[in-house]
Amino acid sequence: MNQKKRILIPGSFLLPYILTTICFPFWGFGENVTNPLVHAFPRILNISHFEGSLIQFAFYGGYFAMALPAALFIKRFSYKSGILMGLFLYATGALLFIPASTTMMFGPFLLAYFVLTCGLSFLETSANPYVLSLGPEETATRRLNLSQAFGPMGSLVGMFTAQQVILKNLSTATAEERMLMSPDAYRSLTMNDLSYIRLPYVAIAGVLVILFIIIALAKLPSHRDQGKGLDFIPTVNRLFKKKRYYEGVIAQFFYVGAQIMVWTFIIHYAVSELGFSEAKAQSYNIAAMVVFVFSRFICTFFLKYISPSKLLLYLAMGGMLFTLGAIFLHGVLGLYSLIAISACMSLMFPTIYGIALRGIGEDAKIGAAGLIMAILGGSVMPPVMGAVIDLETVFSFSAIRFSFFLPFICFVVVAVFGYRGYKVFHD
């Protein structure tokens, strides 16, 4: 391999790489300012944990619904157009929190989340393969991992915002206490709580508008966007003849399901098992994200010396081990084990993504859509976990601890994909 092929980011692509990478923290922010609200909405609007987890169904359902239209849009136009459309829909969904908060109904919030994540779907479907294209294929996975490493910084800002702007300012009144209030007092309290929920989304909409203008004015290379033909069926047929690709889609579905379940229900775990307040529990959620950030940079370094598939296998095995710790260890040790799972999840998404898309060329535009559609795992699995938690006890386990058998199964699937990666696909 010559030195040119080992270059991570060619100088001519540095500016478009930077502008595209700036987008990565924004979907981390949207996801992690939202996760704690799965626990907050049930008591604010007097709904069940299952209903509260429908936030994740709407949130990640938007990824699934818009990924394929986004891929077709990008193939017809360009990666830049896809990024701009993503920013537009993201900002629109965020601004929908203004009318949603005035209705005091759960449905409008679900619509706002859905529109917002249609934007995120456009962004990820555009930005991920675009980063892969900005340099030699031999360094594509490392390049994507480097961009993805900045995503958790947005996640940390989102989590801190959720803690300091939302959770600390919400009333501690339970759903039962709220139902005993007079109609006027109930409405006043609920409107006050929803105003704090609305605030971060409206603020991020303003930032997105500024970023939209900057990228719209910038010149981004379209060297991978020349093909205008939408040969969708032949492309899909080619993709699903590649075991590496379709097994990667399956692995991504289960990984995202595991990630969203672990991060969404850390607060439930800390509140139910250790009696923490929501704001204090969010501190442990933030700790998990800090672990995730540091682990991602460390694991990206290890990719210089170990194949992506083998590293993915080791990380999945670690995720399985720590998930069992969250289930079987009581008290703070179980919580620490739950936090440690984030170290193992740090590199899974971009590594699965890079392995699955390796060597598929122009088909990456449609192929990327399949991998983004696999984010549906984050939509389907949290409601199942929420339904288990509503049971309160399962066998001899508390329902919250028993529910973590679901992410354990997900990590098993990821481990199998990692194993096949270096044994069958020879990564």
Side-chain angles (χ1 to χ4, degrees):
M1 185 184 301
N2 59 43
Q3 184 62 32
K4 182 177 180 180
K5 289 187 176 181
R6 285 196 290 265
I7 294 174
L8 185 61
I9 306 165
S12 59
F13 296 148
L14 183 59
L15 179 59
Y17 177 82
I18 292 172
L19 289 175
T20 305
T21 299
I22 287 173
C23 295
F24 281 66
F26 285 94
W27 56 75
F29 177 91
E31 176 184 329
N32 287 279
V33 78
T34 299
N35 286 339
L37 300 182
V38 175
H39 190 271
F41 266 115
R43 63 185 180 82
I44 294 173
L45 298 178
N46 194 25
I47 57 179
S48 68
H49 288 300
F50 169 77
E51 290 173 305
S53 64
L54 291 179
I55 289 174
Q56 304 294 43
F57 183 80
F59 195 98
Y60 295 98
Y63 273 105
F64 176 80
M66 197 53 64
L68 185 56
L72 296 175
F73 179 90
I74 294 162
K75 192 165 180 65
R76 174 64 181 86
F77 297 102
S78 68
Y79 287 123
K80 177 179 177 178
S81 298
I83 291 171
L84 291 175
M85 179 61 74
L87 293 171
F88 171 77
L89 290 173
Y90 189 168
T92 300
L95 290 174
L96 284 175
F97 275 75
I98 297 174
S101 63
T102 64
T103 66
M104 293 176 51
M105 297 173 62
F106 193 44
F109 282 102
L110 296 182
L111 175 62
Y113 280 122
F114 181 80
V115 173
L116 186 153
T117 50
C118 284
L120 293 182
S121 185
F122 256 94
L123 277 178
E124 293 214 43
T125 304
S126 306
N128 284 310
Y130 193 39
V131 165
L132 289 175
S133 75
L134 294 174
E137 184 174 341
E138 289 76 11
T139 58
T141 299
R142 283 179 57 206
R143 190 161 51 252
L144 179 58
N145 275 315
L146 180 60
S147 292
Q148 289 272 353
F150 292 93
M153 296 179 181
S155 299
L156 281 172
V157 174
M159 297 173 97
F160 185 78
T161 300
Q163 181 190 50
Q164 299 296 321
V165 177
I166 301 177
L167 297 179
K168 279 193 173 182
N169 291 302
L170 295 180
S171 168
T172 58
T174 65
E176 293 76 14
E177 291 170 342
R178 291 167 187 259
M179 294 307 294
L180 295 175
M181 295 178 179
S182 68
D184 287 343
Y186 175 78
R187 178 177 177 80
S188 176
L189 181 62
T190 303
M191 290 294 290
N192 185 65
D193 283 347
L194 294 179
S195 70
Y196 285 112
I197 290 175
R198 175 183 66 211
L199 181 58
Y201 294 95
V202 176
I204 199 64
V207 177
L208 292 169
V209 169
I210 295 172
L211 182 60
F212 178 96
I213 295 171
I214 293 172
I215 293 179
L217 296 176
K219 291 184 178 180
L220 301 184
S222 57
H223 59 286
R224 293 293 181 94
D225 298 313
Q226 299 303 319
K228 301 298 183 182
L230 300 180
D231 54 340
F232 176 69
I233 298 300
T235 300
V236 170
N237 288 336
R238 286 194 300 271
L239 286 171
F240 282 91
K241 287 178 181 178
K242 300 178 185 292
K243 288 186 178 181
R244 182 205 302 268
Y245 174 75
Y246 70 73
E247 290 181 12
V249 171
I250 295 169
Q252 200 74 291
F253 176 92
F254 282 95
Y255 162 67
V256 175
Q259 175 190 291
I260 303 310
M261 286 187 288
V262 169
W263 285 349
T264 297
F265 293 105
I266 282 180
I267 290 182
H268 288 69
Y269 192 101
V271 171
S272 300
E273 296 292 309
L274 289 90
F276 292 169
S277 68
E278 288 176 344
K280 182 177 180 180
Q282 178 68 353
S283 297
Y284 289 87
N285 219 358
I286 293 173
M289 184 54 63
V290 171
V291 169
F292 184 90
V293 171
F294 280 101
S295 178
R296 174 162 278 185
F297 282 105
I298 293 169
C299 291
T300 299
F301 172 78
F302 284 142
L303 279 175
K304 295 175 64 177
Y305 306 102
I306 185 171
S307 75
S309 293
K310 187 174 289 188
L311 182 60
L312 181 65
L313 171 61
Y314 294 157
L315 292 174
M317 292 173 65
M320 293 161 58
L321 178 64
F322 288 124
T323 304
L324 290 176
I327 296 169
F328 290 101
L329 297 177
H330 291 268
V332 72
L333 289 178
L335 181 58
Y336 288 160
S337 187
L338 183 54
I339 291 170
I341 296 172
S342 291
C344 302
M345 295 193 300
S346 62
L347 219 63
M348 287 186 181
F349 183 93
T351 302
I352 294 171
Y353 197 102
I355 293 170
L357 292 184
R358 185 174 180 182
I360 66 174
E362 185 67 16
D363 289 346
K365 293 171 184 170
I366 302 299
L371 288 160
I372 297 302
M373 290 174 76
I375 291 176
L376 182 68
S379 175
V380 172
M381 294 186 181
V384 177
M385 199 167 181
V388 173
I389 292 171
D390 281 332
L391 298 176
E392 296 186 1
T393 59
V394 182
F395 302 118
S396 59
F397 295 90
S398 68
I400 181 66
R401 286 193 293 117
F402 184 84
S403 68
F404 278 91
F405 277 113
L406 289 171
F408 175 83
I409 294 170
C410 294
F411 287 130
V412 171
V413 175
V414 175
V416 171
F417 179 68
Y419 177 81
R420 285 178 57 77
Y422 79 91
K423 284 291 187 180
V424 179
F425 307 134
H426 307 296
D427 284 342

